[in-house]
Amino acid sequence: MEILVATGKLAEETVRFSVVDNADVLVLDIEVAAFLTPHRLLSELKKQQKKYDVIFVPGLCSGDFSLVAEELGCKVYLGPKHAYDLSSVLRFVGEMEFSLEVPACELLTDVWRDIALETLAEIEKDAESIMTLGDVKLGGGSRMKVMAEVVDATGLGEAELSGRIASFIKKGADIIDLGASLTASPDDVRRAVRIAREVSTVPISIDTLEPELIRAALEEGVDLVLSLNSSNIDDVAGEVADAGVAAVVIPDAGNEFESLVANLDAARSAGINNIIADPVLDPIGHGITGSIVRYSRFHEEYPDVPVFFGVGNVTELIDADSVGVNATLCGIAADVGSCILFTPEFSEKTRGSISELNTAASMMILAKERGSSPKDLGIDLLRLKEKRRRPEFEVPEKHVMAQKFAGWTLDPLGPFRIGISTNDDGGVIVAQHEKATIVGRSARDVMDTIMRMDLISKVDHASYLGCELEKAEIALRLGRSYSQDDDI
């Protein structure tokens, strides 16, 4: 198949580097590749002796290149937005249909992601698990499941508890854990479990060591008890067994390996069949290395026992972005046979941990399926950093240094107050003016609306607003707070 890539002078070097010998390169007499027009391309191609099957034009071109395709009898597609992505695009020529409306890089992002999601669905469908909670598979070849704890669930009002559970499930929680406060009563537990049952269909666990609270949860049909050790096994293990409910078994104080094994044996002797072991992940600075060794030893000696991994023990106690921490811990969890990834998503710095762990768990199972490292999978957890860096400008010798302008005056049409409002769908930018309040998801949409409504009259005001709206959009994308005029 004969392939041609058309570009401009500025991008020539990058295009040739990316294409190598997988296609011919046509450099037109224009500086910026995105300014290529159908007429200019057709005129140049008519001079060529060689006939091509596929022609890629720059992904940012906006003309109607279907005319070129009709006249030359070949396929013309939008290439990627950035020349360095051409190598990835050319690999798929002949395998997929590209477009004249959507840049190839965006199509491939969707394709790679769709392939990844389809593969994940097939893996989960065919996986043989060690146990199940309702329809949720645990262990074996299934994906690690995310358990989201509703902290102090027994002390929340019905509306707040319902909303938090629904929010966690929407973020990707496979199991909801109801945290019982130190002052919770059996009636509080029953109420919390009933509310959880009303608003969700996912498995529900109760998080307490108190026997009377565990009994109350069992009466309401809870699916999982978290947790059992020597302090309560003699009191409630028989009732857990009679209810056919799964249980997470933990070591006693000190988290000794032998203590965990002894408690597991006691739980089995009481008749509990579905047991999940929690060797306990200690926080950084409090023995995390030793706890990981404990996990590794347990999985080596008891490979058929599913493992509970308390990611939140680490993420909540480190001032670092949760994305990378969650991804790394998820990889360790996969290595030690974990079936449940636990997170409370309690503090602001860990907001998003549920979806991060869900994605990380998917990445680990895909990597295992492909026999590769968790990269180039079609899904990722890259939020601030990037896999490939775009080409940068060289500063010319003759240039003007930018200087802050302090002589602005109030726009006669009035000022704007910019803010954001977040929700489970990401949230919106809010631009308040005395004549109207504009709400939108993107800075461009909000600014376009402001201009269309003639709510702005000064260039410096427009420049300022554009900067603030973009900051607000970035804050929404990163899950950060926003305050007008403050740095982000």
Side-chain angles (χ1 to χ4, degrees):
M1 182 179 292
E2 298 295 338
I3 306 171
L4 177 71
V5 176
T7 189
K9 293 178 182 179
L10 288 177
E12 178 181 0
E13 184 177 344
T14 306
V15 169
R16 292 193 185 280
F17 175 80
S18 299
V19 166
V20 194
D21 57 358
N22 295 314
D24 292 342
V25 176
L26 173 63
V27 182
L28 288 97
D29 189 22
I30 53 174
E31 295 294 317
V32 181
F35 292 163
L36 176 61
T37 64
H39 175 75
R40 188 186 291 269
L41 176 61
L42 188 57
S43 176
E44 191 63 35
L45 287 173
K46 285 181 177 178
K47 302 175 186 177
Q48 305 291 315
Q49 299 295 320
K50 192 172 181 178
K51 299 296 183 182
Y52 292 97
D53 302 298
V54 175
I55 299 173
F56 281 102
V57 298
L60 294 174
C61 286
S62 57
D64 182 7
F65 287 88
S66 61
L67 302 174
V68 179
E70 291 174 9
E71 187 151 344
L72 297 180
C74 65
K75 294 182 177 180
V76 181
Y77 299 125
L78 284 182
K81 292 179 179 179
H82 306 287
Y84 61 75
D85 283 328
L86 277 164
S87 58
S88 299
V89 170
L90 294 177
R91 288 168 43 203
F92 285 86
V93 175
E95 295 184 22
M96 65 171 286
E97 192 74 15
F98 290 96
S99 168
L100 267 176
E101 286 78 39
V102 182
C105 53
E106 294 182 9
L107 283 177
L108 283 178
T109 296
D110 293 339
V111 168
W112 290 327
R113 182 174 179 80
D114 288 346
I115 291 173
L117 295 178
E118 289 172 6
T119 303
L120 284 168
E122 291 173 4
I123 292 172
E124 192 67 18
K125 179 182 177 183
D126 298 337
E128 293 186 5
S129 61
I130 296 176
M131 71 174 68
T132 59
L133 290 180
D135 295 330
V136 176
K137 296 180 179 180
L138 296 179
S142 63
R143 171 182 61 82
M144 291 181 287
K145 302 306 188 295
V146 179
M147 175 189 282
E149 180 194 8
V150 181
V151 177
D152 190 24
T154 54
L156 299 178
E158 181 174 351
E160 187 175 1
L161 178 57
S162 298
R164 198 164 299 180
I165 291 171
S167 172
F168 284 178
I169 293 173
K170 190 170 185 178
K171 291 178 180 180
D174 301 290
I175 304 166
I176 293 295
D177 180 53
L178 301 174
S181 67
L182 295 177
T183 59
S185 69
D187 285 341
D188 292 332
V189 169
R190 294 187 187 94
R191 182 188 65 89
V193 175
R194 282 198 297 270
I195 292 171
R197 286 289 186 215
E198 290 172 1
V199 299
S200 73
T201 58
V202 304
I204 304 296
S205 79
I206 184 64
D207 197 339
T208 181
L209 286 168
E210 295 298 323
E212 63 175 351
L213 302 186
I214 291 174
R215 290 191 184 95
L218 292 173
E219 291 170 8
E220 288 297 327
V222 78
D223 302 290
L224 178 68
V225 170
L226 174 69
S227 306
L228 298 181
N229 65 6
S230 67
S231 71
N232 59 15
I233 284 179
D234 290 342
D235 286 335
V236 295
E239 294 168 69
V240 173
D242 291 341
V245 170
V248 173
V249 176
I250 62 175
D252 296 333
N255 299 334
E256 295 296 331
F257 184 89
E258 292 72 20
S259 170
L260 173 61
V261 173
N263 290 338
L264 286 169
D265 290 340
R268 289 195 192 93
S269 297
I272 301 176
N273 295 319
N274 293 330
I275 296 176
I276 301 165
D278 180 8
V280 181
L281 183 66
D282 294 318
I284 293 173
H286 297 275
I288 185 173
T289 302
S291 67
I292 292 174
V293 171
R294 186 166 61 242
Y295 268 95
S296 181
R297 176 186 173 188
F298 183 86
H299 183 51
E300 184 177 337
E301 296 185 18
Y302 301 91
D304 296 328
V305 178
V307 171
F308 179 100
F309 201 82
V311 180
N313 294 355
V314 176
T315 53
E316 291 288 349
L317 294 174
I318 180 173
D319 284 343
D321 290 337
S322 62
V323 180
V325 178
N326 281 328
T328 302
L329 290 174
C330 194
I332 295 171
D335 278 352
V336 298
S338 303
C339 67
I340 291 177
L341 302 167
F342 174 85
T343 183
E345 196 172 298
F346 182 64
S347 63
E348 275 300 314
K349 66 187 177 185
T350 59
R351 179 187 289 191
S353 284
I354 294 170
S355 60
E356 290 163 12
L357 287 171
N358 191 293
T359 299
S362 298
M363 290 171 65
M364 299 311 154
I365 198 73
L366 282 173
K368 180 180 179 181
E369 174 75 7
R370 300 178 185 184
S372 68
S373 297
K375 62 187 296 290
D376 301 325
L377 301 170
I379 56 176
D380 61 58
L381 282 170
L382 293 169
R383 297 294 181 265
L384 294 177
K385 297 197 174 183
E386 52 194 357
K387 289 170 70 71
R388 290 177 292 276
R389 195 172 183 85
R390 295 173 173 82
E392 297 180 1
F393 273 30
E394 288 187 11
V395 179
E397 285 188 26
K398 293 183 178 181
H399 61 272
V400 177
M401 286 301 298
Q403 294 181 345
K404 184 176 181 180
F405 176 65
W408 65 274
T409 57
L410 186 66
D411 192 321
L413 294 181
F416 276 88
R417 182 169 174 237
I418 309 299
I420 61 173
S421 178
T422 59
N423 53 42
D424 290 339
D425 293 324
V428 292
I429 303 167
V430 181
Q432 293 182 328
H433 187 271
E434 61 181 13
K435 293 184 178 179
T437 296
I438 295 95
V439 174
R441 294 187 181 277
S442 77
R444 179 182 289 274
D445 290 349
V446 174
M447 192 64 187
D448 285 350
T449 304
I450 289 171
M451 294 174 66
R452 190 169 58 251
M453 294 178 67
D454 293 326
L455 297 177
I456 191 167
S457 65
K458 292 172 59 65
V459 173
D460 57 344
H461 192 199
S463 173
Y464 165 79
L465 267 185
C467 291
E468 286 301 320
L469 292 171
E470 188 66 25
K471 280 166 50 183
E473 182 178 342
I474 291 171
L476 284 176
R477 290 186 177 185
L478 297 181
R480 294 183 65 98
S481 58
Y482 165 84
S483 179
Q484 191 169 346
D485 294 325
D486 285 352
D487 291 336
I488 186 169

